[in-house]
Amino acid sequence: METFQNRFTSELISMNDIINLLRNSIQQQYNAKQLDIKNETIEKNVRILFEQDYVCQYISNTNGELSLAYPSQILVPIIDKWSEVQTPKITPSINIRDCCVRSRIARCRSRLVVPTLFIDGKYICRSATLSSWGEIYPRLSMDLLVDAGNRRFAQPAANIDNAFIDIEQPQQRTIFDKLRSADVDLLNIFDIGSIVNLMVQQKNILFGMKITASEKFDKHDRYRTFQMILLPYPGCEHFREVAIQKYNGEFMFYDWSLSKNDALLDVPIHLASRVNTDWLFWRSWNTIQLTQNYFQILLRHLETEKRGILIHCLSGWDRTPLFISLLRLSLWADGFIHQSLTVEEILYLTLAYDWYLFGHNLPERLPHGEEILYFTFMVLPYLVGDEFVFQSSNTTRHHSTLTTTGISCNYMPERHVYNNNTSCVNVADDSVINVHRNPCQYNSIGFEENKKTIRKEKLLAVFHLFHTCYRTVIPKISTTLNNGPPPVPDMARRIKNFVLQRRS
């Protein structure tokens, strides 16, 4: 096994790289068809950062053939270099891309199931919710009309056409059977056992057309073998409250009385009982508390379940990356993933891969005052308590080496941080968080004693670095709103997105 003690001679990512990434993110939404040097550099950096700790396979998405708002090369970690843990499901005999092609339209905006995190041999996947007939049939019609040579799918065009044309034959399965069965196949390939749905509505209807659905309410119960976890979480519109409440998440409360909010909380008792809260009052929680308790459910699942987990919301590019990003940063701070990366590198990785390359539309979110990206990092000081520490069940992982990767962080833009009880503690402006790059050796007792302190320092260092870079590029949102065009009404915005989705 490769030794990681002296692998690095210099840092790959600097603070300027993060600032440039944010500047690029506010100028354009990522599009896999758009080939330019900036996107190529971002994707190259992401691959290098991943490959420091993982052996990866790649799913080709050149020109957005699978999804326009997915990276041109989708990473699939298969071996953790630190623990030598690998997934038993991904073998050379499995054509993952072929499965992706067949299941592509099964989910909203072609945002199919893909792995994004790998821990203890399990995948944490992301996607959008299921498509319904209002989206499937227009996309299917376009696929049949578009010249197969332009799409350059891995399998011949005739095979793709036949896969769908024969739906008209009585003896064949319906289009929903084919697509959703392919979606189930892809979930099984990645060994997913549970599906976390963050939507606040059971289905999405526009002009009387059912556009999306969810696994729990599939009429033919095709997803019956998966454990369903329903965690209704506010959409991007709610995060206008970030600026309105002067960046204090404890004053942010979602209006659950709105008619569209018909989704109910549904958490298996063996997971809910492991979180110290009263779930009956979930609608009364502020957004910080909601995030904390949902986040604990995800951690407890990773600790107790043998199979992986899929996390999705409606489109999979706002609420989904919020929780994916928090998981990546928290598990990194615990020393279980991306052990080689510094604070700058892990921040760059999550901003680039979890947000930008998977289509988060920052150019649209900011004019509407929807700072869900900023809120994600605003939550980090609230996740430093003992209840947010991941306890691995994998006994093969090497715990004798504690990797504390990071920076000497002396830019502290705020005079306060928060402990796990959400009370303020003062931090001097010139405070320094020292997190060294090179691994330090501890015995088992020393490891446990230092683990919590190091975790807190790492998360706070990420928070302050992000704040500094974000405010370098993006002013306070109230200024942006006052100087910019008035926000588009929600219904008009939904119509606009629907039209753009059809064109893509």
Side-chain angles (χ1 to χ4, degrees):
M1 180 178 175
E2 183 178 359
T3 301
F4 292 87
Q5 294 288 79
N6 299 305
R7 292 179 59 204
F8 304 99
T9 57
S10 62
E11 293 181 358
L12 173 66
I13 300 298
S14 69
M15 183 173 170
N16 285 334
D17 293 315
I18 299 169
I19 291 173
N20 290 334
L21 171 62
L22 286 169
R23 284 183 176 142
N24 190 63
S25 299
I26 65 174
Q27 293 171 358
Q28 63 180 11
Q29 181 185 25
Y30 176 80
N31 186 321
K33 278 188 175 180
Q34 183 176 333
L35 303 177
D36 59 50
I37 187 63
K38 291 181 180 179
N39 284 344
E40 289 179 5
T41 300
I42 292 170
E43 294 201 53
K44 178 182 177 182
N45 287 340
V46 165
R47 288 195 295 271
I48 292 173
L49 291 173
F50 254 98
E51 289 172 353
Q52 287 184 7
D53 298 291
Y54 299 96
V55 175
C56 299
Q57 288 187 4
Y58 297 91
I59 303 173
S60 176
N61 183 40
T62 306
N63 294 322
E65 293 164 348
L66 297 176
S67 178
L68 287 175
Y70 273 18
S72 63
Q73 294 289 325
I74 301 170
L75 290 152
V76 182
I78 57 172
I79 300 176
D80 182 337
K81 294 180 179 179
W82 287 82
S83 65
E84 296 182 330
V85 170
Q86 63 184 23
T87 172
K89 290 287 185 176
I90 308 299
T91 63
S93 62
I94 297 177
N95 188 334
I96 302 177
R97 193 176 187 281
D98 178 65
C99 296
C100 291
V101 169
R102 289 187 286 109
S103 68
R104 187 178 64 88
I105 331 176
R107 293 190 174 264
C108 178
R109 302 178 189 269
S110 298
R111 296 179 66 82
L112 65 154
V113 176
V114 294
T116 184
L117 287 162
F118 183 60
I119 181 166
D120 286 355
K122 296 175 286 193
Y123 284 120
I124 302 172
C125 292
R126 66 181 294 171
S127 72
T129 192
L130 292 176
S131 298
S132 193
W133 63 270
E135 176 167 0
I136 286 178
Y137 288 117
R139 285 195 180 276
L140 177 60
S141 300
M142 289 302 298
D143 274 2
L144 294 176
L145 291 173
V146 171
D147 177 66
N150 293 334
R151 300 193 63 85
R152 293 185 299 173
F153 278 127
Q155 59 179 340
N159 292 341
I160 297 175
D161 290 349
N162 290 337
F164 297 117
I165 289 174
D166 62 11
I167 64 172
E168 298 179 0
Q169 301 176 13
Q171 70 271 23
Q172 299 295 329
R173 296 176 298 173
T174 67
I175 182 64
F176 275 81
D177 282 329
K178 289 193 173 219
L179 289 175
R180 293 191 177 174
S181 294
D183 185 64
V184 169
D185 289 342
L186 194 58
L187 288 167
N188 287 328
I189 285 175
F190 296 130
D191 199 23
I192 299 302
S194 301
I195 299 175
V196 174
N197 186 343
L198 301 169
M199 293 168 58
V200 297
Q201 67 270 65
Q202 295 180 9
K203 56 188 176 183
N204 190 25
I205 296 177
L206 186 63
F207 304 131
M209 251 190 324
K210 188 176 177 183
I211 306 299
T212 66
S214 64
E215 298 87 354
K216 186 176 179 66
F217 301 101
D218 179 73
K219 290 182 179 179
H220 297 282
D221 204 18
R222 299 176 183 90
Y223 295 85
R224 60 186 174 276
T225 60
F226 299 94
Q227 177 177 246
M228 298 297 166
I229 304 175
L230 306 186
L231 303 176
Y233 194 81
C236 59
E237 297 86 356
H238 170 64
F239 293 90
R240 297 169 187 166
E241 291 290 313
V242 174
I244 293 173
Q245 301 301 337
K246 302 185 185 304
Y247 297 90
N248 189 334
E250 296 177 40
F251 295 152
M252 293 174 59
F253 290 88
Y254 183 63
D255 185 2
W256 294 103
S257 66
L258 298 175
S259 59
K260 69 176 182 178
N261 299 324
D262 59 354
L264 299 176
L265 183 78
D266 189 356
V267 182
I269 187 63
H270 72 279
L271 294 177
S273 62
R274 291 171 64 88
V275 179
N276 185 22
T277 190
D278 190 339
W279 291 99
L280 293 176
F281 298 99
W282 67 279
R283 285 193 177 95
S284 67
W285 297 337
N286 64 44
T287 311
I288 292 289
Q289 293 169 325
L290 197 69
T291 308
Q292 287 177 314
N293 290 326
Y294 286 4
F295 185 73
Q296 286 188 72
I297 290 294
L298 299 177
L299 289 178
R300 303 296 86 83
H301 181 283
L302 292 174
E303 291 171 351
T304 59
E305 302 289 338
K306 295 181 179 179
R307 303 179 68 195
I309 188 170
L310 167 68
I311 302 173
H312 75 73
C313 53
L314 181 61
S315 296
W317 54 27
D318 290 308
R319 288 165 285 186
T320 298
L322 183 153
F323 282 99
I324 293 294
S325 188
L326 289 178
L327 282 170
R328 191 181 303 279
L329 293 170
S330 181
L331 294 172
W332 164 80
D334 285 331
F336 286 102
I337 64 173
H338 302 296
Q339 293 95 317
S340 301
L341 302 190
T342 65
V343 169
E344 292 100 334
E345 290 167 347
I346 193 66
L347 177 56
Y348 184 95
L349 177 63
T350 191
L351 287 174
Y353 197 64
D354 299 331
W355 292 90
Y356 177 68
L357 292 177
F358 275 92
H360 179 63
N361 198 350
L362 200 56
E364 180 178 300
R365 298 291 175 260
L366 289 179
H368 289 82
E370 298 163 353
E371 290 194 277
I372 188 170
L373 173 61
Y374 187 85
F375 177 84
T376 302
F377 292 88
M378 200 172 82
V379 171
L380 288 179
Y382 293 90
L383 301 182
V384 298
D386 294 350
E387 64 270 32
F388 305 108
V389 175
F390 174 70
Q391 303 294 335
S392 175
S393 59
N394 180 15
T395 58
T396 64
R397 180 175 290 275
H398 301 295
H399 286 297
S400 59
T401 299
L402 174 62
T403 306
T404 59
T405 57
I407 57 173
S408 177
C409 177
N410 55 15
Y411 36 85
M412 305 284 281
E414 301 291 343
R415 291 189 59 86
H416 61 272
V417 295
Y418 300 91
N419 60 22
N420 57 312
N421 296 318
T422 69
S423 59
C424 288
V425 293
N426 291 328
V427 177
D429 286 340
D430 58 352
S431 295
V432 175
I433 296 177
N434 291 307
V435 189
H436 303 290
R437 175 167 201 133
N438 295 327
C440 304
Q441 299 293 332
Y442 294 92
N443 59 32
S444 59
I445 298 177
F447 177 88
E448 294 301 327
E449 291 176 348
N450 286 274
K451 183 177 180 180
K452 296 175 184 177
T453 300
I454 291 172
R455 168 192 164 79
K456 178 178 179 179
E457 289 181 344
K458 291 167 78 174
L459 289 178
L460 293 181
V462 171
F463 165 68
H464 289 297
L465 176 58
F466 171 79
H467 180 99
T468 300
C469 296
Y470 187 86
R471 287 296 172 228
T472 300
V473 177
I474 302 165
K476 291 280 181 146
I477 203 66
S478 57
T479 304
T480 304
L481 288 176
N482 290 336
N483 295 337
V488 179
D490 287 342
M491 179 53 69
R493 186 179 178 190
R494 291 180 67 196
I495 296 172
K496 172 189 171 185
N497 290 338
F498 180 77
V499 172
L500 292 175
Q501 185 178 343
R502 302 283 77 74
R503 287 179 178 175
S504 67

